Structures are given as structure tokens and as C-alpha cells.
Amino acid sequence: MIRLYMSMSLDGYIAGPDDRPGQELGRGGGRLFDWLDHRHGDGPSGQVYREASATGAIIAGRRTYELAGRWGGDHHDGVPIHVLTHRVDPADPAPGSTRYFTDVVACAEEARAAAGERGVMVHGAGAAQALLAAGQLDIHLVPVLLGGGRRLFGEGDPVELRLVRRLEDRGVTHLRFEVSR
């Protein structure tokens, strides 16, 4: 199961304006992750955080991976990191358990195999858009209007989603959708 654990503003942004190294979430984008202040609690945000941390592999877009400092080669618990990129530079060795992929299907298959019975966590708008049809989709909807920044979903063909779980916590609604096929 491939799941996107991302926070998004009501107006569809996953980062504020001017996201870049040193300001990875853009101006005002940190508000999207205030729910993580409660990640170690027993409430819904703690539950969602534990689920995300129990995943067995990561798929990330190259831009997100780079902005996150490549997670130092270890996102959590040494799970394999699969990076979707437009091209692989042989002079740029992947750190830790990271592998680069240019083929979305191959990346998804390898990540599922690496995760075994556990889920696969997705990071990044580009990776999410490329993998949308691959499985379930988790979005952490935050009641704020950023007014600009990096959008999670752009224009494209309509995709039907079915809400399968809704958890509310302080300042966030955790939503899980299943892609209708």
C-alpha cells in the first residue's frame, strides 16, 4: 500500500511561497506541521504519526529529497528510500539505503517489495502526482489559507476519491482516501 502522508492547506498548498534550502516549507508553511507537536500523544495526530513511522519504505520526489538534505541517507529506522528523478547522475552516489529511479512503476514495485507487509510513505508533490493511481492517499488537511506556494495537485484528469477515514485533532483533520478505479 502506497500512502501519501502530507499536510495541505485548504487552498491546496503543501509549502508556502519561496520554498528553498534554508526555508524548506516556504513562508508560513511551517503552520502545516503544527499537528506534529502532538505526534507523541495518544490522540489522532499521535496515531497518524505512529502509522507513518511504521512504514517500510519511502518514495520521494527528487526536489523534496534534496530540500530535506537527503535525510542524511536515513529517513526513519533505516528503511529504503526510493527517489523518483528525471535523470540519474552516476557521479552522484546515493547515500545509505537510497536508490534513484526514473521509472515510476519500477520505483513503486521496488518500494512495495522492500516494505513487505508494511506500507510505503510518499513525500513530495511530484511523486504524489506520479503515484496517485497506485493506491491510497492520506492528506492532513490544515485549516489555513496560505494564498500561494507549492501546490500538491495541479491540473489534469479528474480522479475520483472515496473517503475511508477521518480523524480530527487540534488544528488538523487527517483524511484517508482510496482511489476509485
Side-chain angles (χ1 to χ4, degrees):
M1 184 175 317
I2 296 177
R3 292 202 174 139
L4 175 68
Y5 287 95
M6 288 188 92
S7 297
M8 180 177 73
S9 66
L10 284 173
D11 51 354
Y13 294 100
I14 59 168
D18 195 27
D19 61 328
R20 58 183 160 77
Q23 188 171 278
E24 291 78 10
L25 298 174
R27 288 189 317 273
R31 167 65 179 91
L32 297 173
F33 295 94
D34 285 354
W35 68 272
L36 286 172
D37 292 345
H38 309 287
R39 68 184 173 270
H40 299 299
D42 293 329
S45 292
Q47 175 185 344
V48 169
Y49 182 79
R50 286 186 296 279
E51 289 171 4
S53 297
T55 54
I58 303 293
I59 296 176
R62 183 64 180 247
R63 185 174 190 282
T64 298
Y65 170 73
E66 295 297 343
L67 280 173
R70 300 180 170 199
W71 296 295
D74 181 15
H75 185 278
H76 68 275
D77 301 330
V79 302
I81 301 169
H82 302 75
V83 178
L84 280 171
T85 183
H86 293 288
R87 63 183 178 285
V88 176
D89 179 0
D92 181 20
S97 61
T98 303
R99 291 193 52 209
Y100 299 128
F101 292 84
T102 56
D103 182 285
V104 175
V105 173
C107 181
E109 288 173 356
E110 294 238 1
R112 279 190 196 102
E117 296 294 316
R118 295 161 52 185
V120 176
M121 183 191 306
V122 178
H123 279 298
Q129 292 166 12
L131 292 161
L132 181 59
Q136 292 190 8
L137 183 64
D138 283 14
I139 298 173
H140 311 286
L141 192 60
V142 179
V144 63
L145 299 173
L146 291 181
R150 181 157 308 280
R151 283 199 173 277
L152 177 55
F153 299 112
E155 294 186 23
D157 292 334
V159 176
E160 294 292 325
L161 303 172
R162 184 174 67 84
L163 182 65
V164 296
R165 184 176 81 176
R166 179 175 162 245
L167 301 173
E168 290 191 47
D169 207 354
R170 288 170 269 181
V172 65
T173 302
H174 303 283
L175 303 170
R176 177 172 292 162
F177 295 95
E178 186 175 83
V179 176
S180 299
R181 300 198 186 272

